Amino acid sequence: MRALGRGRLPESVVLADGIYTLDHAIKHDFFAATALYDGPAGAAVVKVARTAPFMGLPLIVVGQWLRRREMRFYRQLADLPNIPEILGAVGPTGFAHRFIPGRPLAKNKPVPDGFFDELLALMRELHRRGLAYVDANKPENILLGDDGRPHLIDFQISWDVRELGDNALNRWWLRHLQASDTYHVLKHKRRLRPDELRPGEAELSRRRGPLIRFHRVASKPYFWVRRSVFGWLRGRNHLLPEGSK
């Protein structure tokens, strides 16, 4: 089930500024394996999209497509200080970006004053550029940097006007995704810094749009099946435990 099958992440990768060596795996799921590497300019994160076949299907083509589109998002936002710098491609489906020192958002962990206002401004800038982040529901994708500022990583399921063309249907879909971005940021703000909520934000943080309501209903059967299948596979030692999800 893992993105690389029984294959392993490379022990070293060559980037523009030298050789980076594997430190440890961060995550390994169906779509990608992610790891931390050490190199001449500090730490880098390497993400390798799927290369292993699944049920006889050669999904390396999907991995190459995922790599191309995610790198495109990073490059569209390369001038923003809240987005890590792309360091280059790795193999047929991987790429590397600069490591951001800090930690993900987490319950009961302090968040500095003004953090969520800056995060909302960052989301508005993404939206102004015709992009939706989409994955703000996951607090682990929003980093509180050691500099006290918000940083976004993981654009695997992000969306922009290039996906289906700049047309009325895609713009409508994009607006719904962007509204979901704002909802999720305000939800995190309500939970972690309720003292900083501005007038109207508390209400918006509870106002689930039709897309969010549909996702919550539709995803429940998927996650139930996923947990059941993964539990069955783990019980029979068909999943490699290290970094698997």
Side-chain angles (χ1 to χ4, degrees), residues 117 186 189 194-205 207:
D117 287 342
L186 290 175
K189 184 178 183 180
D195 58 304
E196 287 203 336
L197 283 170
R198 298 176 183 276
E201 288 185 342
E203 181 185 352
L204 287 174
S205 73
R207 188 183 298 170

Side-chain angles (χ1 to χ4, degrees), residues 127-141:
H127 298 168
R128 187 188 68 80
R129 298 184 186 198
L131 189 151
Y133 180 62
V134 183
D135 224 8
N137 182 51
K138 298 178 182 176
E140 60 267 28
N141 286 340

Side-chain angles (χ1 to χ4, degrees), residues 1-237:
M1 297 291 287
R2 302 199 321 168
L4 308 185
R6 294 193 174 273
R8 294 182 176 275
L9 287 155
E11 290 298 321
S12 63
V13 297
V14 179
L15 301 176
D17 57 354
I19 298 174
Y20 285 70
T21 56
L22 177 64
D23 184 292
H24 67 275
I26 299 171
K27 185 174 74 169
H28 200 158
D29 59 25
F30 183 86
F31 289 104
T34 308
L36 187 68
Y37 283 70
D38 293 318
V45 174
V46 172
K47 183 173 184 179
V48 181
R50 189 166 188 98
T51 59
F54 180 69
M55 299 180 67
L57 298 174
L59 294 189
I60 189 172
V61 177
V62 175
Q64 291 169 336
W65 174 72
L66 288 171
R67 191 263 297 274
R68 283 197 302 272
R69 71 186 300 278
E70 188 162 6
M71 288 184 73
R72 184 179 85 235
F73 292 130
Y74 276 102
R75 285 170 174 155
Q76 282 179 246
L77 305 170
D79 59 310
L80 299 178
N82 315 77
I83 308 298
E85 174 193 3
I86 283 284
L87 299 176
V90 174
T93 67
F95 70 95
H97 67 70
R98 191 76 67 196
F99 172 73
I100 302 296
R103 63 166 177 82
L105 290 185
K107 188 178 180 180
N108 300 325
K109 293 292 182 81
V111 177
D113 294 347
F115 176 88
F116 284 106
D117 287 342
E118 184 173 355
L119 180 57
L120 282 167
L122 175 61
M123 283 296 183
R124 285 194 293 269
E125 179 59 21
L126 266 62
H127 298 168
R128 187 188 68 80
R129 298 184 186 198
L131 189 151
Y133 180 62
V134 183
D135 224 8
N137 182 51
K138 298 178 182 176
E140 60 267 28
N141 286 340
I142 302 171
L143 300 182
L144 168 54
D146 287 350
D147 57 4
R149 305 182 69 183
H151 300 266
L152 292 179
I153 58 171
D154 195 348
F155 290 81
Q156 183 169 282
I157 63 171
S158 296
W159 196 266
D160 67 4
V161 291
R162 291 179 56 181
E163 299 293 343
L164 297 175
D166 189 2
N167 54 63
L169 177 62
N170 196 26
R171 289 193 296 273
W172 172 84
W173 177 246
L174 187 62
R175 284 196 299 272
H176 279 279
L177 293 175
Q178 291 171 341
S180 297
D181 285 346
T182 303
Y183 162 81
H184 287 304
V185 172
L186 290 175
K187 179 185 68 177
H188 294 314
K189 184 178 183 180
R190 173 169 53 84
R191 292 174 176 175
L192 299 176
R193 286 302 306 262
D195 58 304
E196 287 203 336
L197 283 170
R198 298 176 183 276
E201 288 185 342
E203 181 185 352
L204 287 174
S205 73
R206 292 183 170 88
R207 188 183 298 170
R208 299 172 183 168
L211 190 63
I212 294 169
R213 292 197 297 270
F214 172 77
H215 176 265
R216 287 177 179 268
V217 172
S219 63
K220 285 182 179 179
Y222 163 75
F223 285 113
W224 181 86
V225 171
R226 187 177 186 271
R227 284 193 298 269
S228 300
V229 170
F230 275 34
W232 183 86
L233 290 169
R234 287 194 182 97
R236 288 156 180 76
N237 296 320

